[in-house]
Amino acid sequence: MKLPLLLALLFGAVSALHLRSETSTFETPLGATTLPEDEETPEQEMEETPCRELEEEEEWGSGSEDASKKDGAVESISVPDMVDKNLTCPEEEDTVKVVGIPGCQTCRYLLVRSLQTFNQAWFTCRRCYRGNLVSIHNFNINYRIQCSVSALNQGQVWIGGRITGSGRCRHFQWVDGSRWNFAYWAAHQLWSRGGHCVALCTRGGHWRRAHCLRRLPFICSY
């Protein structure tokens, strides 16, 4: 009588252990797939910070081109409509021709000593001299221009560079549409939070970011 009872109890214990083992095996894969490890972020939640828009949009007006174009040659950019079209051309005594550019017999540059904002200078080069704010593509031209402006009382002059966007979306462009293939930035200027227009220092010839509404002399190419 006792033997069948013991066999029944033993069989029940073995069955219970087997059932528990199967349940544990079933739950383990589910837990591994549904509970990410510490510091793990689902892929759909990892989104890059969107590009910030141009902070100084009012300085460009409606003439700004699509900032999505990469650094390089682009179509010539039109002068913003906000520029006063009644601006008078500078007097001849306020201009100085820059001559003797090494390796460029056809290059013609003009230093205009009248103080104007970036957009005004841009418009003056286009309207009065059928040219553009200067674009600089090598050190020789940069050095020659710096020598021609070193006697100015002003510490900087406008050149034709400008910056669109910010952060990873930042692009450097020449307003004449030529390729951005050379730069001569002063220390810490490239990624500083300065203005969105580029000025050349009259001492040393390095470039600095400047607020576009500043009034500076400028260099035209024509």
Side-chain angles (χ1 to χ4, degrees), residues 61-91:
S62 60
S64 178
E65 87 292 352
D66 185 357
S68 64
K69 294 180 180 178
K70 298 294 183 183
D71 302 344
V74 297
E75 294 181 1
S76 183
I77 304 165
S78 60
V79 180
D81 295 333
M82 63 185 295
V83 176
D84 182 5
K85 299 302 190 295
N86 294 321
L87 280 173
T88 58
C89 294
E91 299 291 337

Side-chain angles (χ1 to χ4, degrees), residues 54 56-65 80-82 119:
L54 184 64
E56 295 179 281
E57 183 177 356
E58 70 276 5
E59 297 184 4
W60 299 115
S62 60
S64 178
E65 87 292 352
D81 295 333
M82 63 185 295
N119 284 344

Side-chain angles (χ1 to χ4, degrees), residues 112-128:
V112 182
R113 292 179 289 196
S114 303
L115 305 185
Q116 297 185 11
T117 68
F118 183 90
N119 284 344
Q120 290 172 343
W122 184 4
F123 176 72
T124 298
C125 291
R126 296 285 293 270
R127 178 172 179 263
C128 300

Side-chain angles (χ1 to χ4, degrees), residues 107 109 132-138 141-142 145 158-161 173-182 207 219-221:
C107 295
Y109 302 116
N132 225 316
L133 280 172
V134 65
S135 59
I136 301 176
H137 301 282
N138 60 64
I141 293 178
N142 194 85
I145 290 176
W158 289 128
I159 58 178
Q173 298 172 335
W174 296 112
V175 295
D176 65 1
S178 59
R179 186 174 181 80
W180 186 279
N181 56 3
F182 172 79
W207 302 356
I219 302 288
C220 296
S221 61

Side-chain angles (χ1 to χ4, degrees), residues 20-78:
R20 183 176 179 181
S21 176
E22 287 183 346
T23 304
S24 177
T25 304
F26 174 77
E27 289 178 348
T28 300
L30 179 62
T33 55
T34 58
L35 297 177
E37 297 180 0
D38 293 342
E39 300 181 359
E40 181 180 349
T41 304
E43 183 178 355
Q44 61 269 23
E45 295 180 3
M46 298 177 62
E47 298 180 357
E48 293 186 359
T49 303
C51 303
R52 293 189 305 168
E53 296 296 328
L54 184 64
E55 296 174 356
E56 295 179 281
E57 183 177 356
E58 70 276 5
E59 297 184 4
W60 299 115
S62 60
S64 178
E65 87 292 352
D66 185 357
S68 64
K69 294 180 180 178
K70 298 294 183 183
D71 302 344
V74 297
E75 294 181 1
S76 183
I77 304 165
S78 60

